[in-house]
Amino acid sequence: MSAPQSLPERLPAIALDGVSRTYASGTDVVHALAEVDLYVARGEALAVTGPSGSGKTTLLNLVSGLDRPTDGTINVLGTHVDGAAERELAEFRAHHLGLVFQDPHLLSGLTALENLVAARLPWGRWRELQVEARALLVELGLGDRLDAPPSRLSGGERQRVGLARALMGSPELLLADEPTGNLDAATTEGLIAVLEAVRRDHDLTIVLATHDPAVAAFADRVVHLAGGRIDGEQRLDRAGPLETRALE
Ligand SMILES: Nc1ncnc2c1ncn2[C@@H]1O[C@H](COP(=O)(O)OP(=O)(O)OP(=O)(O)O)[C@@H](O)[C@H]1O
Ligand SMILES: [Mg+2]
């Protein structure tokens, strides 16, 4: 008889069960997310699309534990994110999650390399972090930009520095919120190519929110949010007719 698979391996990377997030807005209640069930397998790349205000950022913030659900349970990499204490969540994010945003908000007084090191200083030693940061920047094609301050980097380069920073500490899960939102089409294509390489080489699970069908096409699967609800879950065939789907 073969040995049973260890439980953590069989768990999905992300499991949302009946997750809602409401905000009180004056006398109104805003349903940012409503009764969302969502499972993301380990190693999967999922794109979350939907119009502005449909709940994409809310979903990512709940998965990372930056926000708490009003209802439902959230399990990420075996951690009950919705029930964890703030301190535990900070540790969890630092060791398991990489976060990428539309604007990487790099520190202007530091070089690209220093930006990566500074972000990880609470969790490592300068010298070792420097080695890790250098290797990541080289891997992402920024080997000749290590000492450049953000003001001397292009938008695409800054976003790659942001991605490299998110990969410090070898996270298993990368959450990206409109990572190409400020980039033109050609630069977006470059960043997606880098993401594809990074996904392969770092064995990552990825959840990426985007308005851009070209970016969503990078994923194995797309879920579309509308009014805080998942509009139907479907596989995305890369060769398939993306334009038939109502993507923004
Ligand atoms: N802190 C908050 N207080 C009140 N309402 C909020 C808050 N954060 C989000 N909302 C509301 O929740 C809904 C979902 O917002 P969310 O930011 O998740 O949308 P989104 O899909 O990320 O939009 P975008 O594409 O513009 O980034 C919106 O109606 C928004 O106004
Ligand atoms: Mg958003």
Side-chain angles (χ1 to χ4, degrees), residues 50-178:
S52 186
S54 60
K56 302 181 297 296
T57 296
T58 303
L59 175 65
L60 291 179
N61 287 345
L62 289 173
V63 170
S64 65
L66 291 171
D67 190 12
R68 306 249 182 196
T70 320
D71 225 328
T73 59
I74 303 175
N75 191 302
V76 181
L77 303 168
T79 294
H80 286 285
V81 169
D82 53 288
E86 288 302 330
R87 201 190 163 96
E88 206 183 321
L89 283 172
E91 285 292 317
F92 171 70
R93 275 192 294 273
H95 296 295
H96 303 284
L97 263 53
L99 305 180
V100 179
F101 305 97
Q102 184 165 348
D103 182 332
H105 290 293
L106 301 175
L107 299 172
S108 59
L110 303 181
T111 66
L113 184 80
E114 288 165 350
N115 260 280
L116 268 60
V117 172
R120 291 298 296 180
L121 267 182
W123 294 281
R125 281 202 292 235
W126 182 272
R127 195 169 287 276
E128 280 129 46
L129 291 173
Q130 222 180 6
V131 171
E132 186 185 4
R134 185 183 302 269
L136 279 168
L137 289 169
V138 169
E139 182 187 336
L140 270 60
L142 295 163
D144 58 349
R145 316 298 286 136
L146 302 177
D147 297 325
S151 60
R152 300 234 192 98
L153 298 172
S154 70
E157 287 172 337
R158 280 200 290 275
Q159 208 44 332
R160 271 189 280 159
V161 173
L163 177 58
R165 184 182 57 193
L167 295 171
M168 291 285 284
S170 303
E172 295 108 291
L173 174 62
L174 191 72
L175 302 175
D177 194 354
E178 310 262 13

